[in-house]
Amino acid sequence: MTWSPNVQSTNNREIASQDTREPNIKTSPTKAPTNRARFKLENNSDRRVSFKEYLPLGSLNFVSAVPDHHLPRRWRETVCPPNTLPNDHPLFVPLSRLLRISLIRICCRRNQTSNDLATVRVYILPHDRALGVLPKTLRKNSQDLRILMDLVDISEDSWYGKVGINTSIQGYKPKLMDDDSLFYIFNTLKSPCPDPSMITNTAAREVVVGLLDGVPLVPGLKTKLYPYQERSAAMMIQREVAPARMLDPRLETVTNPVGSTFYYDRETCVVLSERREYEEVAGGILAETMGYGKTLICLAAILQTKGQWPQIPPQYSLGLHPTRPRVASLMQMTAATIGRTSIPWKAYFEQLCCEGVEFKSCVRCLMDNAGSYIIPNTVKKHARKSDVDIQGSTILLSSATLIIVPANLVSQWIQEYSLHFEEKSLSLLIIDDLHKPIPPASKLRDYDVILISKARFERESSSHGATIQAMRKQTLCQCLSGHCRCSDYLQHYHSPLKDLHFLRLVVDEGHAFASTGASGNAGNVLNKLHVERKWIISGTPTGGLMGVEVDMAAMETREGASSNNAEANQEALVARRKEIAVAQERKDILKLGSIVVNFLQLKPWSNLKSNDAASWYKYVMPSETGKRNVTSLKGTLEGLVVRHRVEDVETDRPLPPLFNKVIHLEPSYFDKLSLNLFISVLAANAITSEREDRDYMFHPSNRKQLDQLVRNLRQSGFYWTSFSAHEVSETVRGSSEYMQNEDKVISEEDRVVMQTALDIGMTCLASSAWRSFSEQAEMGMFVKGFPVPASEPWSLCPSSGNRHFIYGTTHLQLAQKYVAEHAYASNPAEGLFEAASTAMKKTQSIVARASQSKMNSPPKQPVKTGPVSGQVVPNSTIITPSGAHKKTIRVRATARPNEGISSSTKSVSQQSIGRKSAMKSTSMFHSSAPAVPGPESTLARAILVGTASSKLSYLLDRIAGLHMDEKIIIFYEGDHIAWYIAQALELIHVQHLIYAKGTAVSLRASYLEWFNNSETYRVLLMDLPQAAHGLNVASASRIFFVNPVWSPSIEAQAIKRAHRIGQTRPVYVETLVLKNTFEEKLLERRRVMTTNEHQQAAKSLLDDTPMNNVIKSLDFIPLSSLELHDEEAQMAPLRIPQAVFGHTTNAVPKHTPFSKRNHDLYDIQIVEPQNQKRKAMFALDPQNSDDTTEITAKRQNADLASSNTMKTSLFAATGQSCDLMPKNSKRTAMFVDKPEIVFEPVAGMSRHQTEESTSLMAIGRDATRLSTNSSNDMNLPYCMKN
């Protein structure tokens, strides 16, 4: 063996070698060189790098293949694999290849512990020192280097040859691979800690210092920020103006045997001697947890950077100096320089203006010389000269922030701005009208904030047909020719947003918006926008990136648990540290990668393939076992996410305590019947289909119908009337025939189950009350003391001699209306008997029409349950009870919801119309209770003592006791549930609003505003899927879930609508569950499920195998003999009986400016000149007046003497006179000897809506409510000013 000259190691330890002779390889002139000789010659010819450039990598210890006396006693370099290395050693081939290309060099000597062992040192040439030296085919050797890195020993003793052969090897194994869950990583990110010293921009540094000191530099904030909000806003600004430099997240920092460090990319096997850094993106993800004021933090950061300009991109910064025909003034040249260099000047001049010094000419000159640049057009290879636009596209710099928000959150941003900021602190432009054109770029650049809805933003795509349509409407083309080409230019519509270089882009709830990447209309527009700073606002960027405090919100509060949740949060965090749902986390990582790569364009993940491309999937995606490179993921998240740990927020601003408990209720007789009918359907299907083939409900081909059946089963836990008597009788008949079929072999267990199902069906058919509820889709109400002889005509079913009669909610409302209309008659109950006949005929006619319509409609394809009987699963179990929503959502019912006509039908279509009308309207028409009848009146003895639903009875009791002091949210799933609750609330005169899927987006926003800001509305019914991110309902402190929620994350998000910053009360959550039913089993299963199981069954509980088995084997709920024979035992009793006529418990909430008292409702007919009819209800205080006095109302335009003047007499007990004049979108009511009251439309409503308004609300000493109702069925609020 021959050795090369001696070399020195990096720690200056001598590699002893005195033999400097070149190897003497003898070759025959007629033979080719040997392999080793060829290797040496190739190696010597390519070696052009000094040994000093190599880094110590590690050492190898092995039994020498040659006698020990051939091993050198000092370190000597060899140019080929040593003879001492056995040919079958796993490193023999990799070392040979790596030595051939000079990527490594090795030295060898005898081991110090044993003469039989050899020690080899390996040195590596870092890739950043080998540029232009190593061959281009270096990537082909990455596998060899990977093997070497895994097997080389990096211990110090091994490096000096002091270890034996049996010593364990310490290699470059992936020590940083961990199995921490994404949930744990997200919740343990460092809280923001801004450092002003890292900001070189003087103006930005002063702003950050002011925020951290609690004294914002730019005035305009009315609200004092909490310390954590100040830190988050300051960190946002620091990330924007001074992005930190971070180590390439693909690299690991490793230490070699001599103590020096280098950087290793494990995926590509790249070794670097120096740090490779990338600049963090100017922006990121504001991910403060739900309800912690993300909107306020973002607006505060915008205010403090008001007037800052984006920098001109370096690639377009050449040739910006203007060419002038003559020398410009010093002011013009200065302004041009300020514009090119993006010096912030707005705040300075605004401060001077506030001090009384104005420089209008300077400001005008600065605006005229604001920065801009030109993007040259790309020239196609074969383009003609005439086709090339030499000028290119001019982009104007703008200090504006473009904020894109979901349509239902536009009003919330406006409210947050109005609440926390001074009126003119920011120049705000709101763009949410889908058909209104966006102003040109020259005007847009003058605003500080441009707030645009997501739907409107998507229409800025040139390929969007709705945009073209809307623009055509704006052009008002008058061409009569069929060859009109006026709209041709619209096909090349150019959005003004693309002509601006915005300072900042903010996407609210961007977890869904930005993850779409470059696809869709929004992506097309986003890709063409010019933005310097980008932010996504979302408390949950992906499903796994959720705060532990949100996850805890869905957990039941343990008895005796402390109100301080810090310890519980930490326990939950530790428990979920290793709980990894690999499939779901892979989805979350992909979504996060789309945000990082496509939207934020963070380097290196967004690098082009030709420029050091980095695969997000390879580096960050967890393996099948859940292992991942923590450095890549955590480093990326820490450079993007601005979020405080929950314990840090609790230190600054603790939230009120949250109490979550489950209320177990005894099911009523009718609850049991409904649930048992569903169980009967499943049992009969399983037995008659013999649990196989497509006839079996649980066959994969029936999954869609089974999902709907399970949804209906869950909703039946509240109330269900969609089973018809005909369907039940057919099911009973088919099951009986199957049991009597001698050809069928039925086990004794199945026979018992089938017989029980038959008994349930027969029990339902024998119940007159159940049949009445089913036929008329009515909620049963049990009333005691209804006036005789009108009690039986109004009742749903004939009395069996008991003290209680069963009524439908609709009929009780009609009876209330009749009594209210005759409240001041000598005997209001007189004529109630005849009114029953009229009401019943009306409801029966609608039922008949609905039934006929149902018969004429094409039937749905049923699911067969048996090959012999031809029996089918009832359609009512596998279709939604409001299945006609899509067709009837825009249809207005002929009767108002309080008249209840549509609710008495059985037709799904007719039910939908009525229910949708109820969803779109509010409880305005029952704003006050009728006059309380005297104790001698028969009406006073009529009291509501119970309902057919246990959950409804419990809700009515709780609402009656709570709504005076607290506001309440009721989350429901299924419109028919909201319908029954709304009817019951109207029956007891509790003001409420319904936030439903079918409600218009603009109206939803108004509902939230009314509920949060008005003391009138005490209850909000909210569709659970609509409890979206970003909604703020902090005015409510009581939350009810009418059914248990399968997904804990959905429940937690709903709870956080109220449990958030701004909440001043403890929040109490109650989930209603029926005892010994399917609901209890659902909750039991949910409690023991892992995160992985929850995520796998997120779409349907049928995806969870244990829950699927539970549904297959549901047990019948036994009926007691008392329930079968005693009507009183069939109801769910109210603990607090409610008066049917007049309601003494419904006084005005104590928060209103007037004291508790009762109010009378008057229904007056107003006749207008165009023969329109409007009904006005005037709720007045009878205690302030003894006599009935005429009130004159006038409606007119600007001229009081106009021919359109309307005079109508309104009779009410006030002793006041009133003039109503709609003028300039205002209505003025002037009372004699009273200050003028001006009714102004709520912000955000158009003038057209104002003129067509149908509701006026006045709260004062003499008039508490004034409302008018027109045929457009719109209810718009008005605010009172004194």
Side-chain angles (χ1 to χ4, degrees), residues 523-662:
N524 291 335
V525 184
L526 273 177
N527 292 336
K528 297 177 182 178
L529 290 184
H530 308 282
V531 181
E532 183 176 88
R533 312 168 187 181
K534 295 181 180 179
W535 287 97
I536 280 182
I537 301 180
S538 176
T540 54
T542 69
L545 299 181
M546 178 184 294
V548 63
E549 65 283 354
V550 178
D551 191 58
M552 287 291 295
M555 296 186 181
E556 295 178 45
T557 305
R558 292 174 295 186
E559 229 172 285
S562 171
S563 59
N564 185 359
N565 293 325
E567 294 182 3
N569 290 339
Q570 187 61 31
E571 291 176 4
L573 187 58
V574 173
R576 291 193 56 182
R577 178 171 184 173
K578 304 299 181 182
E579 188 179 331
I580 299 179
V582 177
Q584 182 61 37
E585 288 208 359
R586 282 174 168 264
K587 294 179 182 178
D588 291 335
I589 292 296
L590 284 177
K591 291 180 180 178
L592 182 62
S594 182
I595 295 175
V596 169
V597 177
N598 298 327
F599 180 75
L600 295 175
Q601 297 180 347
L602 176 66
K603 304 292 184 180
W605 309 116
S606 61
N607 288 349
L608 299 176
K609 291 184 178 180
S610 59
N611 182 23
D612 191 24
S615 172
W616 173 266
Y617 185 90
K618 289 181 179 179
Y619 286 91
V620 181
M621 189 65 63
S623 65
E624 295 297 335
T625 60
K627 300 285 185 179
R628 66 161 59 85
N629 189 329
V630 176
T631 304
S632 298
L633 178 61
K634 198 164 187 176
T636 300
L637 290 178
E638 287 180 343
L640 288 179
V641 176
V642 176
R643 182 186 184 275
H644 280 81
R645 293 186 180 184
V646 60
E647 57 268 22
D648 296 331
V649 177
E650 291 288 338
T651 302
D652 294 339
R653 175 59 171 91
L655 285 175
L658 172 67
F659 302 96
N660 191 340
K661 64 178 180 178
V662 176

Side-chain angles (χ1 to χ4, degrees), residues 808-1116:
T809 313
T810 301
H811 304 106
L812 287 181
Q813 287 179 314
L814 292 173
Q816 283 182 335
K817 181 181 179 182
Y818 177 84
V819 172
E821 291 173 347
H822 301 80
Y824 290 92
S826 57
N827 183 12
E830 185 177 358
L832 198 57
F833 183 90
E834 292 77 9
S837 176
T838 303
M840 289 298 178
K841 287 180 180 179
K842 188 182 298 185
T843 55
Q844 288 172 5
S845 65
I846 293 181
V847 171
R849 291 198 301 270
S851 300
Q852 185 64 32
S853 174
K854 185 176 181 180
M855 291 175 61
N856 295 335
S857 62
K860 291 183 177 291
Q861 183 67 29
V863 179
K864 293 184 178 180
T865 60
V868 175
S869 63
Q871 174 195 352
V872 296
V873 172
N875 279 335
S876 57
T877 65
I878 57 174
I879 62 173
T880 175
S882 51
H885 283 180
K886 293 182 180 179
K887 295 180 64 175
T888 61
I889 189 170
R890 296 181 180 86
V891 181
R892 179 180 181 272
T894 56
R896 291 198 304 265
N898 62 304
E899 293 173 348
I901 301 303
S902 59
S903 68
S904 63
T905 71
K906 179 61 181 149
S907 165
V908 171
S909 176
Q910 292 292 334
Q911 284 184 19
S912 301
I913 296 175
R915 289 170 189 164
K916 282 302 172 182
S917 298
M919 304 299 168
K920 292 163 69 175
S921 66
T922 64
S923 54
M924 288 182 176
F925 295 103
H926 287 302
S927 59
S928 302
V932 178
E936 71 285 350
S937 172
T938 57
L939 297 173
R941 293 193 291 271
I943 57 173
L944 177 66
V945 295
T947 73
S949 168
S950 292
K951 292 183 178 180
L952 181 60
S953 294
Y954 180 83
L955 283 175
L956 292 181
D957 280 330
R958 296 291 285 158
I959 292 171
L962 295 171
H963 83 282
M964 301 299 299
D965 300 316
E966 300 183 66
K967 289 190 176 184
I968 302 164
I969 304 176
I970 301 175
F971 287 106
Y972 66 89
E973 294 179 86
D975 285 348
H976 73 288
I977 295 178
W979 168 251
Y980 291 129
I981 297 175
Q983 273 195 313
L985 292 178
E986 289 178 358
L987 195 65
I988 65 173
H989 311 289
V990 173
Q991 298 276 34
H992 62 278
L993 297 167
I994 304 179
Y995 193 98
K997 180 180 180 181
T999 309
V1001 174
S1002 58
L1003 202 54
R1004 291 186 209 172
S1006 299
Y1007 281 3
L1008 289 180
E1009 183 179 354
W1010 302 350
F1011 183 74
N1012 285 325
N1013 301 325
S1014 169
E1015 293 297 335
T1016 304
Y1017 300 102
R1018 313 301 299 169
V1019 178
L1020 178 66
L1021 302 177
M1022 181 171 282
D1023 191 358
L1024 183 61
Q1026 302 305 310
H1029 301 269
L1031 295 182
N1032 184 353
V1033 202
S1035 59
S1037 55
R1038 295 281 178 170
I1039 298 175
F1040 293 92
F1041 291 94
V1042 297
N1043 291 320
V1045 183
W1046 172 246
S1047 172
S1049 61
I1050 292 178
E1051 179 180 345
Q1053 290 168 11
I1055 293 172
K1056 296 304 287 186
R1057 300 307 106 220
H1059 191 243
R1060 57 197 299 120
I1061 292 297
Q1063 179 61 261
T1064 58
R1065 296 169 174 261
V1067 177
Y1068 296 88
V1069 182
E1070 297 182 19
T1071 301
L1072 309 186
V1073 176
L1074 296 180
K1075 293 180 180 178
N1076 303 318
T1077 65
F1078 159 76
E1079 295 182 339
E1080 281 194 334
K1081 296 180 180 179
L1082 184 149
L1083 272 185
E1084 290 172 3
R1085 172 58 187 157
R1086 199 188 87 161
R1087 290 190 188 105
V1088 299
M1089 290 174 67
T1090 64
T1091 304
N1092 192 18
E1093 290 173 329
H1094 272 302
Q1095 292 172 345
Q1096 288 177 354
K1099 292 184 178 180
S1100 172
L1101 54 83
L1102 291 170
D1103 293 329
D1104 179 59
T1105 302
M1107 201 66 231
N1108 196 310
N1109 294 331
V1110 166
I1111 298 172
K1112 289 181 181 179
S1113 57
L1114 289 175
D1115 297 326
F1116 290 99

